[in-house]
Amino acid sequence: MLWEILKAGRTNKSSDLFTRLAARRVSVSKRGYIVLPHDIGTFNATAKGNNIIWEYNGERIQGNTCSFNITNDYSTIRIAFDEALEKLEIKNNNALKADLSDLGGKITNYLNLYNCTKITGDLADLGGKIANTLNLYNCPKITGDLAALGGKITYLLSLYNCTNITGDLADLGGKITYLLSLYNCANISGVYSGIAYPTTINLSYTGVSAEEMDQNLINLNENMNKKGTFTANGMSRTAASDGAVAGLTAKGWTITGLTKV
């Protein structure tokens, strides 16, 4: 009510109060929230953003790190912050029952849910905003297509044992510089190409054909001068990539798992 009165007819005496209330109103409107369902267990997390506050059952922690002892199933953890989170990391948590949609598309740069096996959701729920790192190692309930990531990830993408994810390597946008792990993603195929290549690659038990594997090796050899590792257990290539394998080996690459057909 005070806001509306001041807004309708400001006086000299009220101008300072009006300014302060307006600033506070803008600040409050920019607050973001994430609510995560959690069963009995320990919740440890790290985040990066402004004015982060973690809340559970009356406990309140302010700062980038948090640890709660969750004493009841069907509990919730609330994270408040200004506008968005640059980073959220929760690892080795089998009591976290969240869905990617619970994050509200508010993670912009780095999301690590390593071995949080009960996480559900679709890659599209992330809003195509993750720009640096996405680690969903052993989160087998997650679905979606690589195209939903928007080709923005530049450093690390691990979908290890995310068996329900589909897509084409071309959809990644060719920007990843460190790690690409798609172990046991049998519904992912295609050829990776672009302006940057990872130094650690795992395409084991994927849907990449022998011909596509040839082209992946050829592209890697033509565009990569650093040494690295290329693992493709259970996968095949043909004689068409003999030159690429020889070239990569000479550069210090370790290539394992491939069967020449």
Side-chain angles (χ1 to χ4, degrees):
M1 186 65 177
L2 178 59
W3 168 263
E4 296 302 330
I5 292 171
L6 291 174
K7 184 179 179 182
R10 284 164 48 184
T11 66
N12 291 335
K13 292 181 180 180
S14 67
S15 61
D16 181 60
L17 177 57
F18 180 91
T19 300
R20 285 186 282 118
L21 283 172
R24 178 173 176 79
R25 180 170 177 159
V26 170
S27 175
V28 170
S29 69
K30 291 185 177 181
R31 288 293 277 173
Y33 303 93
I34 291 172
V35 178
L36 301 176
H38 201 288
D39 285 344
I40 294 172
T42 301
F43 176 83
N44 295 310
T46 301
K48 185 176 181 181
N50 294 321
N51 299 319
I52 300 172
I53 298 174
W54 314 77
E55 295 177 316
Y56 160 67
N57 196 31
E59 295 183 63
R60 198 167 186 265
I61 298 174
Q62 185 163 6
N64 292 342
T65 61
C66 167
S67 182
F68 288 131
N69 180 30
I70 311 300
T71 56
N72 294 295
D73 285 340
Y74 308 106
S75 295
T76 57
I77 297 151
R78 185 175 184 266
I79 313 170
F81 45 86
D82 287 350
E83 297 192 54
L85 287 178
E86 181 180 340
K87 171 183 177 179
L88 178 63
E89 183 172 82
I90 307 167
K91 298 189 292 185
N92 296 313
N93 188 327
N94 293 325
L96 182 65
K97 304 292 285 292
D99 189 276
L100 292 181
S101 62
D102 293 326
L103 302 178
K106 292 183 172 66
I107 314 299
T108 63
N109 196 55
Y110 180 111
L111 177 62
N112 186 353
L113 298 175
Y114 177 97
N115 204 33
C116 293
T117 58
K118 294 182 181 178
I119 288 279
T120 58
D122 191 291
L123 292 179
D125 296 326
L126 299 175
K129 296 178 181 178
I130 308 295
N132 180 273
T133 293
L134 177 60
N135 190 346
L136 299 177
Y137 177 102
N138 200 30
C139 296
K141 295 185 177 182
I142 291 175
T143 62
D145 192 275
L146 294 180
L149 299 176
K152 293 182 179 178
I153 295 174
T154 59
Y155 185 69
L156 181 152
L157 175 62
S158 176
L159 301 176
Y160 184 104
N161 203 37
C162 291
T163 55
N164 293 308
I165 291 176
T166 62
D168 192 296
L169 293 177
D171 295 328
L172 295 177
K175 302 182 182 76
I176 300 172
T177 59
Y178 175 59
L179 182 142
L180 174 61
S181 177
L182 301 174
Y183 177 94
N184 207 28
C185 295
N187 297 310
I188 293 177
S189 58
V191 176
Y192 181 100
S193 63
I195 60 174
Y197 286 77
T199 54
T200 302
I201 300 171
N202 191 338
L203 298 180
S204 299
Y205 309 110
T206 61
V208 176
S209 68
E211 292 73 20
E212 289 170 338
M213 191 67 73
D214 287 336
Q215 194 59 52
N216 279 307
L217 290 163
I218 291 167
N219 289 354
L220 186 61
N221 184 50
E222 289 178 349
N223 292 280
M224 178 62 79
N225 292 317
K226 299 178 182 178
K227 65 181 180 179
T229 59
F230 189 103
T231 306
N233 293 316
M235 307 303 294
S236 301
R237 69 175 185 88
T238 76
S241 56
D242 282 352
V245 170
L248 289 166
T249 302
K251 294 173 186 177
W253 276 75
T254 301
I255 301 173
T256 58
L258 284 166
T259 298
K260 183 176 172 182
V261 296

